[in-house]
Amino acid sequence: MNPVWNEDLMFVAAEPFEDPLILSVEDRVGSNKDETIGKVVIPLNTVEKRADDRAIRPRWCNIEKSMSAAMDEDQKKKYKFASRLHVCVCLDGGYHVLDESTHYSSDLRPTAKQLWKPSIGVLELGILNANGLHPMKTREGKGTSDTYCVAKYGHKWVRTRTIIDSLSPRYNEQYTWEVFDPATVLTVGVFDSCHVGSNGHKDMKIGKVRIRISTLETGRVYTHTYPLLVLHPSGVKKMGELHLAIRFSSTSFTHMMYLYSRPLLPKMHYVRPLSVMQQDMLRHQAVNIVAARLSRSEPPLKKEVVEYMSDVDSHLWSMRRSKANFFRLMTVFSGLIAVGKWFGEVCKWRNPITTVLVHVLFTMLVYPPHMNTRISYAEAVHPDELDEEFDTFPTTRSPDIVRMRYDRLRSVAGKIQTVVGDVATQGERFQALLSWRDPRATTIFLLFCLLVAIVLYVTPFQVFALLAGFYVMRHPRIRHKTPAAPINFFRRLPSRTDSML
């Protein structure tokens, strides 16, 4: 009669905080039957706000019999005795609401405005025109399109006017954004409006372009024609080209250089990190809130447009994405593949002296192998997984079991696909450092290498080893929960994820 849960639940809340938090206490009276004991309604404008990880005082809330009683303040005061729920509620402003993938996020600031740092520059975008667009509908016996562009960066979404009946529309519209972090991405999408001469209810996607701010030189005007590529069930189609003009102007060069040593996400993401499941759930909630709000704007943006611009399905499993990540990984590790070819020549005794030396080294390193059930994960395996492993090929199990195992396989494969993509991203960041894709980052790296070379030349190796050992073994009290500056610098380097469909 006095249950204890001790569970942390997290939701995305958007200002103005009009919708209340509703807690329902239910009693399980049967296998598939629950009875509501009561409800607690907490208005969000009464909830304490915090921007750090300080403790929040819990409070007791009366459990009312119905929603009307829970919403009526006079009725709450009328009854002196009631069952109560002990809750600890707060609005966390120290986190960044992840409404898009971190690989091509356009904003990395925390929710609380008092934690925002000054801007480092201004991003100017000119949406000029599109050429050679693929017709999305038929009018008077000929193919045509009624297109508009959507650009997203940070909290600001913009939409051009709709150009009617044109496969080479001219928009000639200009927009500006404040830039707070160079490791962000501008996304521009082209869509066909369903409100003009179409029987459908959804705006069709024509393609989108991603531009990473850190790859733009300060003050330079880029006027490029970007291909619009869309993936269809029949394959990849080039839907046309989009002509853009873009310029990034820096207002604080020193602050921008300093950001390369800072963590990518706000401090709360490292002090109290969110799990992968929480991130996926919160991202889904955030996209739905943004879509609902933009659908009420003028002119409105449909939900399918917001989901396409936010890459809402980027974490789902796809054989194509898995192959793409695999080939990215092969490109990154092309040097190791070359080493493998060299080892193949060693095995063929092309150079006898080298082969003999490799045999000596191999003899020194090899140990007798043995089976390990813990490494094989054979001690805690689920019976259904064993049944699947010993199933014949083709399967002899029922369609329901095969469907369940296929869905489970898709879930696991999606996680593996994400891990492979992340590994490839790390290698591409290192390659970007050598190819000057982010000129500011490469300049910082070269200056750091020069400084390290001078310090190592002047400092005796014993002193350097002593200082390095003391630093690695330093007391936990003088360790920071946020990542070190070199790690932050590496995570800000661009990768090729911006170019993936």
Side-chain angles (χ1 to χ4, degrees):
M1 301 305 292
N2 296 292
V4 177
W5 291 283
N6 283 332
E7 291 193 27
D8 291 330
L9 307 177
M10 187 173 283
F11 305 92
V12 176
E15 293 180 313
F17 300 124
E18 297 173 347
D19 296 330
L21 173 66
I22 302 173
L23 301 170
S24 177
V25 183
E26 300 184 356
D27 181 29
R28 176 61 57 89
V29 296
S31 57
N32 292 314
K33 185 178 179 182
D34 297 332
E35 287 185 357
T36 301
I37 297 176
K39 294 181 180 293
V40 174
V41 177
I42 303 176
L44 293 189
N45 54 16
T46 65
V47 175
E48 185 177 354
K49 300 178 181 180
R50 71 175 180 180
D52 50 17
D53 60 338
R54 61 184 173 86
I56 299 294
R57 291 184 60 185
R59 57 177 172 174
W60 289 96
C61 301
N62 290 344
I63 301 176
E64 306 294 342
K65 294 295 184 181
S66 62
M67 276 293 296
S68 59
M71 298 289 290
D72 190 352
E73 293 294 333
D74 296 332
Q75 192 166 346
K76 287 182 181 180
K77 298 177 182 178
K78 182 177 179 181
Y79 298 103
K80 295 183 179 180
F81 301 100
S83 298
R84 296 190 299 173
L85 193 64
H86 198 212
V87 296
C88 183
V89 188
C90 72
L91 288 167
D92 263 322
Y95 289 97
H96 167 67
V97 179
L98 297 164
D99 59 342
E100 51 197 348
S101 174
T102 53
H103 289 302
Y104 23 78
S105 180
S106 62
D107 185 28
L108 301 167
R109 292 174 294 173
T111 306
K113 293 184 179 180
Q114 64 265 31
L115 298 178
W116 290 4
K117 304 294 183 182
S119 64
I120 62 170
V122 176
L123 178 66
E124 300 172 83
L125 171 69
I127 303 178
L128 304 180
N129 62 285
N131 298 315
L133 294 183
H134 193 276
M136 305 300 292
K137 61 187 71 167
T138 303
R139 185 177 295 140
E140 297 178 358
K142 65 176 184 178
T144 186
S145 293
D146 308 305
T147 60
Y148 64 91
C149 294
V150 176
K152 175 191 185 306
Y153 185 77
H155 295 166
K156 182 180 176 181
W157 293 65
V158 296
R159 182 191 191 277
T160 67
R161 66 189 188 280
T162 303
I163 306 297
I164 306 298
D165 195 15
S166 176
L167 296 179
S168 298
R170 293 185 176 275
Y171 305 101
N172 292 324
E173 299 189 20
Q174 186 173 354
Y175 306 96
T176 59
W177 288 269
E178 281 190 303
V179 177
F180 293 88
D181 197 304
T184 48
V185 175
L186 168 71
T187 305
V188 184
V190 184
F191 302 88
D192 177 76
S193 177
C194 68
H195 294 290
V196 184
S198 177
N199 297 325
H201 300 286
K202 290 186 175 182
D203 290 355
M204 300 298 293
K205 57 189 179 183
I206 297 179
K208 65 184 172 186
V209 176
R210 299 193 196 102
I211 301 171
R212 186 169 290 273
I213 307 304
S214 63
T215 61
L216 304 176
E217 294 183 15
T218 305
R220 177 181 172 184
V221 179
Y222 293 83
T223 54
H224 289 304
T225 300
Y226 299 88
L228 297 171
L229 304 175
V230 172
L231 190 67
H232 290 285
S234 58
V236 178
K237 287 186 178 180
K238 183 180 179 180
M239 307 296 288
E241 295 179 337
L242 182 63
H243 193 198
L244 300 176
I246 186 169
R247 180 173 69 177
F248 169 58
S249 303
S250 174
T251 56
S252 178
F253 182 79
T254 305
H255 186 205
M256 181 170 57
M257 292 292 104
Y258 171 71
L259 283 177
Y260 277 94
S261 65
R262 301 303 302 158
L264 203 60
L265 293 171
K267 183 179 179 180
M268 282 294 293
H269 285 269
Y270 306 100
V271 176
R272 291 187 179 180
L274 304 176
S275 65
V276 176
M277 293 292 292
Q278 280 181 313
Q279 292 181 23
D280 291 341
M281 179 190 68
L282 294 174
R283 184 184 175 200
H284 179 71
Q285 293 180 22
V287 170
N288 288 338
I289 290 175
V290 172
R293 180 159 296 182
L294 292 177
S295 66
R296 298 191 296 267
S297 62
E298 187 58 39
L301 287 181
K302 290 180 168 290
K303 184 178 181 180
E304 60 268 17
V305 173
V306 177
E307 290 181 346
Y308 179 64
M309 294 289 289
S310 302
D311 293 280
V312 71
D313 60 345
S314 62
H315 65 287
L316 298 179
W317 177 76
S318 161
M319 180 64 74
R320 176 192 60 82
R321 285 199 192 99
S322 299
K323 287 183 177 180
N325 288 334
F326 173 75
F327 288 122
R328 287 172 60 201
L329 207 60
M330 293 290 289
T331 303
V332 168
F333 291 105
S334 57
L336 293 179
I337 295 175
V339 173
K341 292 181 179 179
W342 168 82
F343 184 72
E345 294 181 355
V346 169
C347 296
K348 295 177 181 178
W349 289 78
R350 296 283 174 85
N351 190 332
I353 298 177
T354 304
T355 304
V356 171
L357 292 176
V358 171
H359 276 74
V360 173
L361 181 64
F362 180 73
T363 306
M364 295 170 60
L365 295 178
V366 168
Y367 293 92
H370 63 278
M371 293 294 180
N372 191 321
T373 57
R374 181 169 296 179
I375 294 178
S376 304
Y377 202 69
E379 296 177 342
V381 65
H382 193 274
D384 179 69
E385 296 174 0
L386 280 177
D387 182 69
E388 180 182 17
E389 185 173 346
F390 286 99
D391 189 12
T392 58
F393 185 84
T395 181
T396 57
R397 301 299 184 262
S398 65
D400 292 337
I401 295 178
V402 174
R403 186 180 297 108
M404 181 272 293
R405 291 174 178 174
Y406 175 68
D407 290 339
R408 182 175 62 191
L409 177 63
R410 291 184 63 188
S411 176
V412 174
K415 297 176 182 178
I416 296 175
Q417 165 191 287
T418 303
V419 172
V420 172
D422 289 342
V423 174
T425 297
Q426 310 311 320
E428 289 168 354
R429 284 171 176 166
F430 181 75
Q431 290 180 341
L433 190 64
L434 303 179
S435 63
W436 290 80
R437 189 180 174 197
D438 185 347
R440 287 173 290 271
T442 306
T443 302
I444 294 173
F445 179 69
L446 290 178
L447 292 176
F448 175 75
C449 291
L450 177 62
L451 181 63
V452 169
I454 295 174
V455 172
L456 291 179
Y457 179 77
V458 175
T459 308
F461 179 76
Q462 292 86 348
V463 176
F464 174 77
L466 184 66
L467 294 176
F470 279 131
Y471 177 78
V472 171
M473 297 182 293
R474 67 191 184 278
H475 195 274
R477 290 186 178 179
I478 57 177
R479 293 177 184 266
H480 297 285
K481 293 186 177 180
T482 55
I487 297 177
N488 298 328
F489 175 81
F490 185 75
R491 288 176 177 173
R492 289 177 174 276
L493 295 173
S495 65
R496 296 175 64 187
T497 50
D498 310 339
S499 306
M500 291 191 66
L501 292 172

